[in-house]
Amino acid sequence: MTAEPGFGPGTSGGDDTREDVAALPGGVKAAVEAVLMVVDEPAAPAVLASVIGVPEPEVLAALTELQREYDGYTGDGPEGAPRGFELRDVAGGWRIFSRADYAPVVSKFVLEGQSARLSQAALETLAVIAYRQPVSRARVSAIRGVNVDSVVRTLVQRGLIVDAGTEPETGSLLYRTTPYFLERLGLGSLDELPQIAPHLPGLENLAEYEDTTY
């Protein structure tokens, strides 16, 4: 049995695959949409191009057009209401999300009234790790002034942080944020993190701990 063209690892798609996709209802744009409906993490344009079997610029054009359609734009101006979902470019790839305006409705359905929000302690610990990564638990504890062992375990279980090796001087385990963290915040990279002081009062002096060793 021979593999279908354009779907193997490392393939960029041949003319046969492109013709097959073009013959499908909706063409390349619909094919991109179909794949996005089943991904469990943001999909890079290069990966979508390889799977679908068309050049990456065609995939990018389809993504942009889909994004505009979901936002209610179908031509040169606004036409109609936005969908309940949107297409975002986050964490190095593209993925469909429910629109933020409907978060209360979605949360009620998914959580059935149970809160899954992080505690203030977890949010502050996550902020320290995000802005000072890779960082050890001891350093985070020193910055926050409390033991963070249990909070760090929670953040690891939630998939928001992971091990990032050990600190050469002390051998302490280091932690960094994950692509899922960027995805949840709707960011493309850590460079897009906002200035911390206006959002987390009390942590505005993080820089004072930068050169401290533990």
Side-chain angles (χ1 to χ4, degrees):
M1 180 180 295
T2 58
E4 295 183 22
F7 285 80
T11 53
S12 59
D15 291 339
D16 291 343
T17 305
R18 188 182 306 180
E19 291 176 2
D20 291 342
V21 172
L24 294 172
V28 173
K29 185 172 69 173
V32 169
E33 188 174 41
V35 175
L36 289 174
M37 292 299 294
V38 299
V39 298
D40 55 7
E41 60 184 21
V47 173
L48 293 171
S50 176
V51 170
I52 296 170
V54 298
E56 188 173 336
E58 288 189 35
V59 169
L60 286 170
L63 288 166
T64 301
E65 189 173 348
L66 286 170
Q67 187 179 52
R68 285 178 57 81
E69 288 182 8
Y70 297 163
D71 289 343
Y73 293 82
T74 56
D76 295 331
E79 300 178 12
R83 305 286 186 87
F85 51 88
E86 61 186 341
L87 182 57
R88 300 183 199 165
D89 180 5
V90 296
W94 293 71
R95 188 176 180 185
I96 294 174
F97 295 84
S98 59
R99 199 170 292 276
D101 295 339
Y102 303 101
V105 177
V106 175
S107 296
K108 184 177 181 180
F109 174 77
V110 174
L111 304 175
E112 296 181 346
Q114 298 179 8
S115 174
R117 294 180 180 178
L118 292 174
S119 65
Q120 183 66 26
L123 287 173
E124 291 181 3
T125 300
L126 182 59
V128 174
I129 295 172
Y131 283 88
R132 287 292 175 263
Q133 60 185 303
V135 63
S136 67
R137 281 184 296 181
R139 186 174 296 241
V140 176
S141 293
I143 293 173
R144 293 206 53 239
V146 296
N147 186 289
V148 298
D149 289 357
S150 62
V151 176
V152 167
R153 284 195 294 271
T154 296
L155 295 175
V156 170
Q157 291 170 355
R158 294 284 186 93
L160 295 168
I161 63 172
V162 292
D163 299 350
T166 57
E167 195 170 41
E169 296 85 359
T170 65
S172 299
L173 194 62
L174 299 173
Y175 293 91
R176 62 173 175 79
T177 55
T178 64
Y180 179 63
F181 165 79
L182 293 176
E183 180 184 336
R184 296 297 295 174
L185 266 65
L187 302 177
S189 70
L190 292 173
D191 294 335
E192 297 178 17
L193 282 171
Q195 293 297 313
I196 193 170
H199 302 286
L200 290 171
L203 294 183
E204 58 271 272
N205 297 320
L206 276 178
E208 297 177 5
Y209 298 87
E210 181 66 27
D211 298 324
T212 307
T213 56
Y214 301 94

